[in-house]
Amino acid sequence: MVNHDLPGPSATNPAYSIRIHVPPGATGLVAAILTEAPGTVTSRVDAPDAMGTCRITLDADGADTLTWLTRTLTRRLGADLLHTQDPVFATASTGKLTLRVCAATATGHDIALLDADADRRVVSHLAAHPDQTDHYTGRRHRVALISDASAVLDFEALPADAALPALESQAVHLRRATGLDVFPLPIATPHVEDIAQAVRLLAPGFAAAVLVHTRPEHVSTTRTILGPTPPILLLDTLNDGLAVAIAAATVNALVNRGVNPLDGRVVLVDPARGGDLTGLLIAAGIADLTLFDPFGPGGGTLHKVAAEADLIVDLTGLATPPEGVPILRARPEAPPPFAAATTGPRPLHALPGLLTAATATRRPITALARVAAVRALIEGTPRNALLPAPDQPGLTAAIAAAATHVLTPDSG
């Protein structure tokens, strides 16, 4: 058997791209330049506009190729290079999502319903009947996406505002999947305790809060401070997202190799990075599970511990498997591209469904709800695949329904 990782990247990545505008006569020179590129480049040429200008989008395989491409196009095309644009920064500059006005504002009568006297009536009513706040406000649809910028992708701790683009992207994905109004809210603080305080302060205006791009130990501390009954529905991308997806992917990886999960031998590398993953793997039917801490004292080497394993689940991205043992890489800080997420777990496989269930039932996500999400994710995976696409039609609804069933007391 040949060693292999699950999954593998595609040749080019739209995250490293450039969009150029050139006259029709320059397209041949652009094509010639692409043949000289030091890496892989794909191109997409749009039909010329009314002025005859051609727009060409070039996707490179990484930063080095993109840098070479940008410099070479500028030097070789000269005046024929009419305009250049980096789509990544162009997208980021939009803010990626915005609010919309739901109330009518077309007439003076409409505006009067948004004025002080109207607000005074509703506020007075809610002060006397606080249990009706969700009925007479938009809070039930509103989610706070919170990060202290301590674990943004592969970066070390960042200034809070530098994390905003990553939060905005997550907000777009969650909005698309759930229809909820998601607000990206980076928190500028060096103190973990302040995350819990921020959750408390935001609770009156939001149905739920989701901790994202935040170190697992910070998430754990925040949950401990807030206790078993936090002032708001609280989810996080590790326990309510990635851990669920990894558990489902582990079961599917074994089944695809003809191994019964009840009999499969799985080694989990660096379990501390997985949040509730260990419990989810056991609940999903992994009966023979070895926890390997590569940074702890003693315990032997991975080659010794995993020599007879059916699968290694690696949360570090650094493990080297023994020959013949497949490995599922699921480093929390390095999710696979969204378009390739059928071959690797992402929080977005499960988080939208669990968030939908939590806000719909107004109940916190429990361990049983996460297990139900694992099973729904497994059932939603196409035959012989590792995972479904995160935006597979019906996936969010199926996970939400499974979680809602166990969250609702009278579900039977």
Side-chain angles (χ1 to χ4, degrees), residues 275-372:
D276 290 342
L277 177 59
T278 299
L280 286 175
L281 288 171
I282 295 171
I286 307 299
D288 189 343
L289 178 63
T290 301
L291 307 181
F292 177 72
D293 180 2
F295 310 109
T301 65
L302 180 61
H303 276 244
K304 180 179 179 180
V305 171
E308 302 298 324
D310 294 298
L311 181 68
I312 296 171
V313 179
D314 174 32
L315 302 185
T316 69
L318 303 172
T320 302
E323 184 176 357
V325 179
I327 184 166
L328 170 61
R329 299 205 186 271
R331 185 180 179 193
E333 299 88 349
F338 191 85
T342 56
T343 55
R346 287 187 62 137
L348 290 164
H349 278 107
L351 180 61
L354 288 175
L355 180 59
T356 299
T359 54
T361 63
R362 303 183 190 180
R363 295 180 179 275
I365 295 301
T366 62
L368 288 177
R370 293 180 185 127
V371 172

Side-chain angles (χ1 to χ4, degrees), residues 75-89:
R75 185 178 70 254
R76 298 273 294 276
L77 287 174
D80 282 340
L81 189 59
L82 304 177
H83 178 68
T84 64
Q85 182 184 59
D86 188 318
V88 165
F89 287 89

Side-chain angles (χ1 to χ4, degrees), residues 364-410:
I365 295 301
T366 62
L368 288 177
R370 293 180 185 127
V371 172
V374 172
R375 292 171 179 160
L377 193 51
I378 292 171
E379 292 173 1
T381 302
R383 184 178 179 84
N384 297 322
L386 190 68
L387 287 165
D391 56 355
Q392 175 175 293
L395 180 63
T396 293
I399 292 174
T404 297
H405 182 75
V406 301
L407 292 176
T408 305
D410 59 355

